[in-house]
């Protein structure tokens, strides 16, 4: 396949990549619990209690009970950690202007100093909620829910050097660390350990969290925190989680497509600013069409499925494709992509990425010599 067709096929992946960030609900399946909140309702109210608690009592019926207050901690403060912290802190501040209620509340967020620029930015924006610590044990001691956001090579040594509380909830953002390994490093029970994957959009409360919960059934604390960040898709097995992670791995490809679109326009003499505005706004409109369609057709979980083993048909994507003008540019563009074998190539890319996530291959479809050159 030539370079043009390679860049073109990613266009079809755009809607598949981003629609979770804008959608308000998904049909529930027996294998994966899908629950997404629309941007307008994605922020559930968070409390402002100042007393601490290591558990949540959702059945006491008393909104003022201090047992609903939570302290959140972050080991590592890189791009994803700072995005999650920002999203939770933003949701907490928005509570003061809303009338919604929540079963749990956030009283404090502790972060380790590195990276310095990101932790300092959090403290500057949320001085009454954020604290920075040089000693990671201080973060552990102050936290009910602990997010692990360190490098894969650091995970074992960092966790084994710390003393965690027996009732602490641990959420790992380290994709290479298995749940069994995390339990071994921390001595926490499996019911208290989670694996999570998300993208930086959670900072705007408009993201989606992939949550591996093989030992939990709708975990009340972590699940609701994910809802505050925009939404949650639960996986009950490692295979399900690996499949879901494949889609999250297409973010770079999506941005590459937008860059190509932008470059095409500027090479044709369009001003750079106008080209960027057009590309960004048009793709944003496409995603909004998907979100609107999902909101319309998927509010009733049972209405969108006929049996456990059925393959989905007549999806929102099928409807949007069918709406293209017969004989128009969009219909022709899709037909050209299909004739070039782009859809099959897209499947190959996804399969290769999944094999890398599972540890079966390095995920590359390029010859070894090309791969070596590309990584230099």
């Amino acid at each position: 396949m030539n370079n043009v067709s390679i860049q073109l096929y990613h266009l079809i992946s755009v809607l598949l990549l981003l629609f979770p960030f804008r959608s308000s609900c998904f049909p529930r399946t027996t294998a994966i619990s899908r629950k997404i909140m629309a941007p307008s309702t994605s922020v559930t109210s968070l409390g402002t209690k100042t007393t601490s608690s290591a558990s949540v009592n959702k059945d006491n019926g008393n909104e003022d009970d201090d047992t609903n207050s939570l302290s959140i901690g972050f080991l590592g403060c890189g791009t994803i950690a700072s995005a999650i912290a920002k999203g939770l802190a933003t949701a907490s501040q928005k509570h003061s202007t809303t009338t919604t209620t929540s079963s749990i509340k956030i009283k404090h967020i502790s972060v380790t100093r590195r990276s310095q620029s990101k932790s300092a930015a959090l403290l500057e924006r949320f001085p009454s909620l954020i604290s920075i610590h040089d000693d990671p044990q201080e973060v552990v001691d102050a936290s009910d829910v602990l997010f692990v956001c360190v490098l894969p090579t650091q995970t074992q040594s960092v966790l084994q050097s710390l003393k965690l509380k027996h009732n602490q909830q641990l959420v790992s953002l380290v994709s290479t660390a298995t749940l069994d390994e995390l339990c071994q490093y921390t001595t926490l029970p499996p019911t208290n350990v989670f694996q999570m994957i998300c993208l930086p959009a959670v900072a705007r409360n408009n993201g989606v969290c992939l949550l591996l919960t093989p030992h939990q059934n709708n975990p009340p604390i972590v699940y609701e925190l994910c809802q505050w960040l925009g939404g949650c898709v639960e996986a009950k097995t490692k295979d399900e989680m690996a499949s879901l992670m494949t889609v999250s791995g297409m973010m770079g490809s999506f941005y590459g497509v937008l860059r190509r679109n932008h470059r095409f326009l500027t090479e044709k003499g369009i001003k750079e600013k106008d080209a960027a505005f057009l590309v960004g706004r048009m793709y944003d409109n496409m995603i909004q069409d998907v979100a609107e369609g999902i909101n319309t057709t998927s509010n009733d979980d049972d209405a969108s499925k006929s049996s456990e083993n059925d393959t989905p048909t007549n999806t929102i994507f099928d409807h949007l494709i069918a709406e293209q003008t017969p004989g128009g540019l969009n219909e022709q563009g899709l037909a050209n992509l299909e004739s070039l074998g782009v859809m099959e190539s897209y499947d190959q890319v996804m399969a290769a990425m999944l094999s890398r996530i599972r540890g079966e291959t390095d995920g590359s479809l390029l010859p070894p010599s090309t791969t070596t050159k590309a990584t230099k």
Side-chain angles (χ1 to χ4, degrees):
M1 184 180 296
N2 57 38
N3 290 335
V4 174
S5 61
I6 290 175
Q7 61 172 304
L8 285 176
Y9 84 79
H10 285 299
L11 293 173
I12 307 304
S13 73
V14 171
L15 296 179
L16 290 174
L17 172 65
L18 287 188
F19 76 85
F21 302 149
R22 297 295 186 98
S23 56
S24 63
C25 57
F26 278 79
R28 179 183 295 274
T29 66
T30 56
I32 305 174
S33 173
R34 306 177 180 186
K35 301 178 182 178
I36 308 295
M37 301 178 69
S40 60
T41 59
S42 62
V43 181
T44 311
S45 68
L46 305 181
T48 56
K49 295 288 184 181
T50 58
T51 55
S52 63
S53 169
S55 63
V56 174
N57 184 350
K58 301 184 68 174
D59 301 319
N60 57 25
N62 185 358
E63 294 183 2
D64 295 327
D65 195 312
D66 290 344
T67 59
N68 285 352
S69 296
L70 287 175
S71 292
I72 310 298
F74 289 86
L75 297 178
C77 193
T79 300
I80 294 300
S82 60
I84 298 172
K86 181 181 178 181
L88 294 176
T90 300
S92 181
Q93 287 189 340
K94 288 183 178 180
H95 169 64
S96 61
T97 60
T98 63
T99 58
T100 56
T101 59
S102 174
S103 60
I104 59 178
K105 303 166 185 176
I106 292 180
K107 73 166 185 176
H108 191 72
I109 298 176
S110 306
V111 301
T112 52
R113 187 171 298 278
R114 297 184 63 181
S115 69
Q116 172 72 39
S117 60
K118 290 182 170 57
S119 61
L122 286 170
L123 179 61
E124 181 179 4
R125 180 162 180 177
F126 308 101
S128 63
L129 192 60
I130 300 288
S131 64
I132 300 176
H133 302 265
D134 291 309
D135 185 354
Q137 185 63 53
E138 293 180 356
V139 174
V140 173
D141 294 341
S143 304
D144 304 315
V145 180
L146 184 67
F147 287 87
V148 180
C149 308
V150 299
L151 296 175
T153 55
Q154 300 173 332
T155 305
Q156 181 175 0
S157 60
V158 168
L159 290 178
Q160 288 183 336
S161 68
L162 300 171
K163 184 177 180 180
L164 276 68
K165 295 173 285 189
H166 73 280
N167 57 354
Q168 210 153 20
Q169 304 274 334
L170 185 140
V171 184
S172 171
L173 278 294
V174 184
S175 61
T176 57
T178 67
L179 293 180
D180 289 340
E181 289 172 339
L182 294 169
C183 291
Q184 178 184 351
Y185 301 156
T186 62
T187 69
L188 289 175
T191 53
N192 287 35
V193 180
F194 306 84
Q195 184 182 24
M196 173 177 154
I197 300 294
C198 65
L199 298 180
V202 295
R204 303 187 298 272
N205 307 110
N206 195 28
V208 59
C209 303
L210 310 181
L211 193 64
L212 179 58
T213 60
H215 306 293
Q216 304 88 359
N217 184 23
N218 295 328
I221 299 177
V222 177
Y223 180 82
E224 189 160 354
L225 291 177
C226 290
Q227 292 287 18
W228 292 341
L229 295 173
C232 184
V233 178
E234 288 184 66
K236 289 299 182 183
T237 69
K238 292 187 292 185
D239 286 341
E240 290 173 2
M241 189 66 168
S243 298
L244 292 168
M245 289 172 61
T246 301
V247 177
S248 73
M250 297 302 293
M251 179 176 66
S253 301
F254 170 70
Y255 292 143
V257 170
L258 269 64
R259 181 178 61 184
R260 290 279 185 165
N261 288 178
H262 180 263
R263 184 181 301 171
F264 173 84
L265 292 175
T266 56
E267 289 176 351
K268 301 305 178 184
I270 306 300
K271 293 180 180 180
E272 182 175 338
K273 184 177 180 180
D274 291 340
F277 177 80
L278 177 66
V279 171
R281 184 58 61 87
M282 290 191 68
Y283 278 93
D284 181 62
N285 291 339
M286 296 177 201
I287 302 308
Q288 291 188 45
D289 287 342
V290 176
E292 182 179 352
I294 291 173
N295 294 344
T296 301
T297 61
S298 301
N299 285 328
D300 185 353
D301 288 347
D302 295 329
S304 58
K305 63 180 182 179
S306 55
S307 71
E308 294 181 3
N309 300 318
D310 281 352
T311 300
T313 58
N314 297 322
T315 65
I316 179 59
F317 307 105
D318 297 315
H319 289 301
L320 289 172
I321 291 173
E323 288 180 355
Q324 306 308 303
T325 303
L329 295 176
N330 284 286
E331 184 185 66
Q332 185 180 51
L334 179 57
N336 285 340
L337 291 173
E338 291 176 335
S339 69
L340 291 170
V342 169
M343 300 301 104
E344 289 77 8
S345 296
Y346 181 81
D347 291 340
Q348 292 176 23
V349 171
M350 297 282 281
M353 189 175 296
L354 178 60
S355 71
R356 177 183 174 181
I357 294 172
R358 290 174 172 171
E360 300 167 349
T361 71
D362 66 357
S364 177
L365 294 176
L366 301 175
S369 59
T370 306
T371 304
T372 302
K373 293 178 181 179
T375 56
K376 288 183 178 179

